[in-house]
Amino acid sequence: MLRPWKLSLSEIGAENDQSLRMRIVHGLIRDIQRGRLSPGSFLPSSRELALSVGVNRKTIVLVYDELKAQGWLEATSTRGTRVAVNLPEQLPDRIEGRPGPGERPEFDFDAIPGILSITPDKETLTLDLGSPDCRLFPAAVLGRAYRDAAVQASRARRLSYGDPRGSLALRENIAAMLGAQRGMVVRPEHICITRGSQMGITLAARTLLKPGEIVVMEELSYAPAAAAFTHAGARIVTVGLDAQGIDVDAVEALCRREQVRAIFLTPHHHFPTAVSLRPERRMKLIELSRQFGFAIVEDDFDHEYHFESQPLLPIASYAPGSTLYVGSLSKLTLPSLRIGYVVASTAVIDAIAGHVMNLDRQGNLISEEAVANLIASGELRRHIRKTHAIYARRRLSFADTLRRHLSGMAAFDMPEGGLAFWVRFRDEARLDRIDKHSETRALRFAPSTVFAMPPARDRGLRLGFASLNEQEADRALGLLRQVAE
């Protein structure tokens, strides 16, 4: 079997009273105890290890025989020699003088607060925050897009370091999409590709903010954005919201008291409530941004999935000079592809590209150009049409299932768009009980406490419906009802 890497023994030892064979035996045992050679991992052939160590092959054969006899190694029928799956003794967490990294380092470090994340697995039902159903994306189509992207990039000699703004082909396709679908007049130089919307928000925070400057957020908002602003040194001040969106009068009053540097919004489908910010409030915010000189960071994370009437155009389509527009293709393709983008004036994009250079130099060009191929070929548009119809049906079914399982306990408004419901509970004690079961073996969901920006206390559950079929949603909400009772 071909090993992916050549194994170098870390320590043979130089004990004068031991033969070379036994020193190699003890060196391998130490590497197994330290965890460097894990149970089930394969060792090199006796010939390969003998060449590496500089000994006769017969010596290594005797070493392997000795370790097999002691139970440290085992032979397989076809693949060679490996570390025993069931080792002869309990391995210590730390060998004196040769520690592994362990749980804690021996130095101080800056720990960023935990980011809101729900990781599904095949054993557990997950009520996520509004993710797509990745099972619906055609794997064969994606594979062809990657193959074509790799071949094209290789022929054009574009597989070396490139533009930190990202693939030109993808930026051209995104610019065309934004113009056709969202009323935005942009060129490729107005766009920087990111690894998802969270990276876009973080880059916006680094570009806009200095320590102590104020960022306005709604009392219910996206916690990872708050973490990005806080880590940039900003001071977050919250204002209220209602069924029409953010309280713009409160924003104006705050601007008259304090110097506001930026405001963060998810105006199309508010996170977490899915409320759409009304046009008159959007216009008032644009006026305030020009009057008081603050930037609008607009996160438009799931624009295409709007089910009631036509989707509203982004704030950035009316006030491109006042906004940093953050978008993502995660809902349209796959979250694991990690494709997002920031749209702003060329001067701001140049500054953001500088931060990209400091962070990771550039993104994954082959992934970016594979997605560009999906857009240019029309495959992405076909996928959106298909999933839009599926999610529209699931939205209605999810509403019926919510009524059936949580009637009398909770209330919700049918969201006009987005991929999640905002569910409010009448009994706060019941919600406390639900939160305690937010990560069980059977069901996972985000607890109600993660959406309120301090000092706000509003609570609810954001329950995604798109990634579950009707039967899965019924089982998940049935489990939620059980923990609520």
Side-chain angles (χ1 to χ4, degrees), residues 3-196:
R3 317 296 172 190
W5 301 106
K6 177 181 176 182
L7 175 68
S8 297
L9 291 182
S10 58
E11 183 177 306
I12 294 178
E15 296 86 346
N16 293 326
D17 58 343
Q18 289 186 342
S19 66
L20 175 61
R21 176 174 64 84
M22 291 309 299
R23 295 205 303 271
I24 296 173
V25 166
H26 291 154
L28 284 168
I29 290 174
R30 279 191 291 268
D31 277 345
I32 294 171
Q33 289 176 321
R34 290 170 55 215
R36 179 174 179 246
L37 298 176
S38 58
S41 62
F42 282 87
L43 295 177
S45 68
S46 57
R47 187 182 306 279
E48 183 181 348
L49 187 57
L51 288 172
S52 175
V53 178
V55 299
N56 188 283
R57 175 174 175 264
K58 185 176 180 180
T59 301
I60 301 301
V61 170
L62 293 173
V63 166
Y64 281 3
D65 288 344
E66 175 72 23
L67 291 171
K68 289 172 190 174
Q70 294 184 29
W72 293 101
L73 301 182
E74 60 189 15
T76 64
S77 58
T78 58
R79 301 183 67 189
T81 301
R82 67 181 182 182
V83 178
V85 175
N86 298 309
L87 291 167
E89 62 181 50
Q90 181 66 38
L91 299 184
D93 292 330
R94 175 186 175 112
I95 302 298
E96 191 61 36
R98 297 301 300 268
E103 294 298 321
R104 300 287 299 179
E106 298 176 5
F107 49 83
D108 292 332
F109 63 101
D110 183 17
I112 298 176
I115 294 295
L116 178 60
S117 176
I118 306 174
T119 305
D121 62 51
K122 62 181 180 181
E123 306 297 332
T124 306
L125 280 170
T126 300
L127 286 163
D128 57 42
L129 299 172
S131 295
D133 189 341
C134 299
R135 297 168 295 187
L136 300 176
F137 201 91
V141 170
L142 180 62
R144 288 196 298 272
Y146 262 94
R147 180 197 62 200
D148 292 346
V151 170
Q152 292 160 4
S154 178
R155 288 174 177 170
R157 303 182 68 180
R158 288 186 285 104
L159 292 179
S160 186
Y161 294 112
D163 193 330
R165 295 162 185 79
S167 157
L168 177 59
L170 181 57
R171 288 185 286 133
E172 287 174 340
N173 276 282
I174 289 176
M177 177 189 74
L178 295 177
Q181 298 291 318
R182 308 187 194 182
M184 298 171 63
V185 181
V186 295
R187 301 188 302 275
E189 56 266 34
H190 296 133
I191 299 172
C192 182
I193 305 299
T194 64
R195 265 56 70 206

Side-chain angles (χ1 to χ4, degrees), residues 142 146 165-167 169-171 173-174 177 182 191-200 300-301 326-342 362-372 374-375 380:
L142 180 62
Y146 262 94
R165 295 162 185 79
S167 157
L170 181 57
R171 288 185 286 133
N173 276 282
I174 289 176
M177 177 189 74
R182 308 187 194 182
I191 299 172
C192 182
I193 305 299
T194 64
R195 265 56 70 206
S197 60
Q198 181 60 32
M199 183 178 177
D300 196 5
F301 55 91
V326 179
S328 171
L329 298 183
S330 293
K331 305 293 189 295
L332 304 182
T333 57
L334 297 168
S336 58
L337 286 178
R338 308 309 307 136
I339 301 292
Y341 52 91
V342 179
Q362 67 185 71
N364 185 321
L365 181 125
I366 294 178
S367 290
E368 292 172 10
E369 300 213 339
V371 173
L374 291 173
I375 298 173
L380 183 57

